[in-house]
Amino acid sequence: MSAVDPLTPERVGVLGGGRMGAGIAHAFLLAGSHVVVVERDEPAALAARDRIRESLGRSVERGSTDRPLPELLAALETGTDAGLFADRDLVVEAVPEERGLKTESLRRIEAAVSVTAAIGSNTSSISIDDLASSLEHPERFLGLHFFNPVPASSLVEVVVGASTNQELVADARGWVAALGKTAVVVADAPGFASSRLGVALALEAIRMLEEGVATAADIDAAMELGYRHPAGPLRTTDIVGLDVRLGIAEELHAKLGERFAPPQLLRDLVADGHLGRKTGRGFYEWSEG
Ligand SMILES: NC(=O)c1ccc[n+]([C@@H]2O[C@H](COP(=O)([O-])OP(=O)(O)OC[C@H]3O[C@@H](n4cnc5c(N)ncnc54)[C@H](O)[C@@H]3O)[C@@H](O)[C@H]2O)c1
C-alpha cells in the first residue's frame, strides 16, 4: 500500500447542503478549506448553514479540532447562486439521487467554474459515465462517494469514469487523505465496491434466513464474531432500510444478473411496510426510531 500525500483543496464548493452535503462541507472546513454551499432557495441555504454550524459545534465540543467555532464558520459561505462557485478548486454535487436533477446540476456547476476546477458527484448509485456525458469536459469529473454520517465515516469511494483524468484521481486521493479518511479507487461499475459487496452479502443472508439455515441473530453473529463485522448483514439492512437495499438489489439484478435477484422474503417485508429500524420492524424489532 502506498501512502498518499494529504493535500487540502483551498476553495471547495458543495451543491446541495442536505444530510450529505452538510457533512461534506463540515469535513472540508475541519481540514482547513474555505467552503461555499449553494442550495435551491434561501430557507434551504439557511437550514444548511444551521446544520453545518451544529455539527461543527459538536466537533469543537468533542475536541476533534483546536480551532474555535467562529473561525471555522468564518470559512463557510452559503447561498443560492451557482456563480459563487467561480473561484472554486473543487465542487461536489450532493443534490437528491435523481438522474435528471443531477445532470442539470452538473451542467450548472460546469457553467460556473473555471476551466481548471474539478467536479465530483456524491451519487450512491448512478453511473459516473452517464453523468459525465452531460459535461463538456468529462475528464475533470469523478465520483466522490462519501458515507453517512460523513464525520464518523472513514471511507470515501473515488469512482473513476472512462474519461476521468488520472491526475485528478491522484488529487482526489490526496483530498480524501487530508480529510483524515481513506480512499478506495473504484471503476465506474454498478454498485461501485461498497454497495455491490454489501448487498451481495445481505441477499445471501436473507436467502439463508428463508431456507431456515439459522436465525437472523445467529447469521449476524457469524459475521460479527467470526469476521469482526461491526454489524451483521441483516442488522445492517435494518439500519440502512429494506426498501433502500431492495432498490439497489433491483438495479444490480438488472445490470449484473441473477446473483442479485432480490429474495422473496425481502420483497414481502417491504410490501408489508417492514422497512427496518425506521418503521420499528425489519429482520429485528426496533423499539425506537
Ligand atoms: N443519505 C445517505 O445515506 C447517503 C449516503 C451516500 C450518498 N448519498 C447520496 O448523496 C446525495 C444527497 O443525499 P442526501 O441524503 O444528502 O439528501 P438530502 O435530501 O438530505 O439533501 C439534498 C439537498 O439538496 C438540496 N437541493 C435539491 N435540489 C437542489 C438544487 N436544484 N440546487 C441546490 N440544492 C438542491 C435540497 O434542498 C437538500 O438540502 C444523493 O445522491 C444520495 O444518493 C446519500
Side-chain angles (χ1 to χ4, degrees), residues 18-20 39-40 94-97 102 108 122 124 146 148:
R19 186 162 179 83
M20 297 305 294
E39 260 290 351
R40 61 180 161 187
V95 300
E97 191 80 351
K102 294 241 185 235
R108 228 177 120 205
N122 191 46
S124 28
F146 287 81
N148 181 21

Side-chain angles (χ1 to χ4, degrees), residues 167-212:
E167 278 174 30
L168 174 57
V169 178
D171 287 350
R173 281 178 173 276
W175 299 330
V176 173
L179 301 180
K181 302 186 190 295
T182 299
V184 295
V185 176
V186 190
D188 181 34
F192 309 141
S194 57
S195 298
R196 181 162 165 179
L197 278 174
V199 167
L201 186 62
L203 295 181
E204 199 55 34
I206 298 167
R207 283 190 279 265
M208 287 165 67
L209 190 62
E210 272 180 338
E211 292 164 19

Side-chain angles (χ1 to χ4, degrees), residues 14-22 24 38-41 44-45 48 51 80 93-98 101-102 104-105 108 121-126 144-149:
V14 179
L15 186 72
R19 186 162 179 83
M20 297 305 294
I24 294 166
V38 171
E39 260 290 351
R40 61 180 161 187
D41 54 31
R51 215 171 279 129
T80 58
E93 167 280 305
V95 300
E97 191 80 351
E98 294 157 31
L101 177 61
K102 294 241 185 235
E104 180 216 310
S105 299
R108 228 177 120 205
S121 171
N122 191 46
T123 180
S124 28
S125 64
I126 303 173
L144 290 175
H145 184 207
F146 287 81
F147 285 70
N148 181 21

